[in-house]
Amino acid sequence: MSTPTRTAIVTGAARGIGAGVATRLAQDGFAVAVVDLDEVACKKVADEIAAAGGTALAVGIDVADEEAVATGVARIAEELGDPVVLVNNAGIIRDNLLFKMATSDWDAVMGVHLRGAFLMSRAAQAYMTKARWGRIVNLSSTSALGNRGQANYAAAKAGVQGFTKTLALELGKFGVTANAIAPGFIETDMTAATAERMGIGFDDFKKHMAAEIPVARTGTPADIAAAVSFFASEGAGFVSGQVLYVAGGPKD
Ligand code: NAI
């Protein structure tokens, strides 16, 4: 007897790491809800997954909006199946030195990373605990260890780690694991925007960053997707509350 298809939600999946994770989970056999702010942008990734033989649904949700999360997750359950995997990947950066950081930039970063992960996890855990099986994977960052110009983002990404460990403690008895992945430098629009803001070409920026990375290269969305794939797998059921640095070398 074959196992019924499990449904996974990936937020911030219209591009970058999220798109890579959604594609990988579809290859692993999950039906994937491709969630991002703009449903039309999600559609491109969902269509690519479908063209490759997978199952995907494009859903527009602002993860910081309580109402949108409730409606969107209920729609996913109805149209794709009860979600039992959640990857909280949606993210933004609003970098500035502390003395120049606007309150709105602090709030926006907290809103997407922390409030967003909280709202999505609270909505999705209802299906996971009911199924007595679930996997939550949260995107932290090496910036959680502190990074100049990122007081808001570093605090949020450190917060994600505490959030993850607490979910692991509360949900374990329902067969639900929670783990965090803390990427180092990954080639995406987010890091391209950082290069642009610094007035450096992206290729030069990547070369400069790679020189500091023990494996002597920058990371790709596929590197993160491989780690998510493990945490979402059947075999990872005894791994919970962990923070995995996927950064081409050791981190604290
Ligand atoms: P990206 O900027 O390329 O993609 C992020 C996606 O999240 C975008 O499609 C955006 O529309 C979506 N998003 C933003 N706010 C949203 C909201 N309120 N609701 C729904 N979707 C929303 O970023 P990238 O590089 O793919 O990053 C993905 C995650 O990985 C983020 O959480 C980021 O902080 C984290 N990360 C990235 C690193 C990198 O080097 N690129 C390093 C460490 C962590």
Side-chain angles (χ1 to χ4, degrees):
M1 218 175 73
S2 65
T3 2
T5 304
R6 285 172 167 153
T7 296
I9 300 176
V10 185
T11 70
R15 68 182 200 190
I17 293 172
V21 168
T23 304
R24 174 63 193 259
L25 291 181
Q27 286 164 359
D28 290 349
F30 292 97
V32 182
V34 179
V35 169
D36 210 294
L37 285 170
D38 176 6
E39 188 157 328
V40 177
C42 297
K43 187 119 192 358
K44 189 175 158 280
V45 176
D47 286 349
E48 279 167 13
I49 289 172
T55 304
L57 177 70
V59 187
I61 303 176
D62 175 350
V63 297
D65 177 337
E66 185 166 10
E67 186 67 37
V69 167
T71 315
V73 172
R75 182 184 154 207
I76 290 164
E78 200 171 304
E79 293 186 28
L80 209 55
D82 289 2
V84 289
V85 174
L86 170 64
V87 184
N88 284 307
N89 166 82
I92 56 168
I93 47 172
R94 295 286 184 272
D95 296 357
N96 224 328
L97 293 173
L98 178 65
F99 78 101
K100 288 192 285 188
M101 188 174 283
T103 309
S104 56
D105 285 342
W106 175 271
D107 290 343
V109 167
M110 294 302 154
V112 179
H113 296 276
L114 287 179
R115 182 182 160 90
F118 158 66
L119 291 174
M120 288 298 301
S121 301
R122 192 180 59 180
Q125 62 77 33
Y127 300 96
M128 298 181 193
T129 53
K130 194 172 91 183
R132 303 203 77 83
W133 194 94
R135 303 279 189 261
I136 296 174
V137 184
N138 297 321
L139 268 288
S140 179
S141 167
T142 50
S143 294
L145 304 168
N147 198 22
R148 190 179 157 80
Q150 292 195 316
N152 49 3
Y153 186 79
K157 291 306 200 185
V160 163
Q161 297 190 9
F163 177 67
T164 304
K165 290 179 190 194
T166 303
L167 296 192
L169 293 172
E170 292 187 11
L171 299 174
K173 63 171 180 263
F174 301 103
V176 178
T177 66
N179 291 285
I181 293 171
F185 186 100
I186 308 297
E187 299 162 18
T188 68
D189 289 322
M190 185 181 272
T191 41
T194 302
E196 200 179 325
R197 205 174 47 249
M198 293 168 73
I200 309 169
F202 195 34
D203 283 339
D204 286 342
F205 190 45
K206 283 191 286 190
K207 222 178 279 168
H208 170 76
M209 297 307 286
E212 305 291 316
I213 299 173
V215 300
R217 69 169 177 88
T218 47
T220 65
D223 290 317
I224 305 307
V228 174
S229 172
F230 167 68
F231 283 133
S233 70
E234 196 62 54
F238 204 53
V239 182
S240 196
Q242 300 304 301
V243 179
L244 181 64
Y245 282 86
V246 182
K251 293 284 165 188
D252 290 349

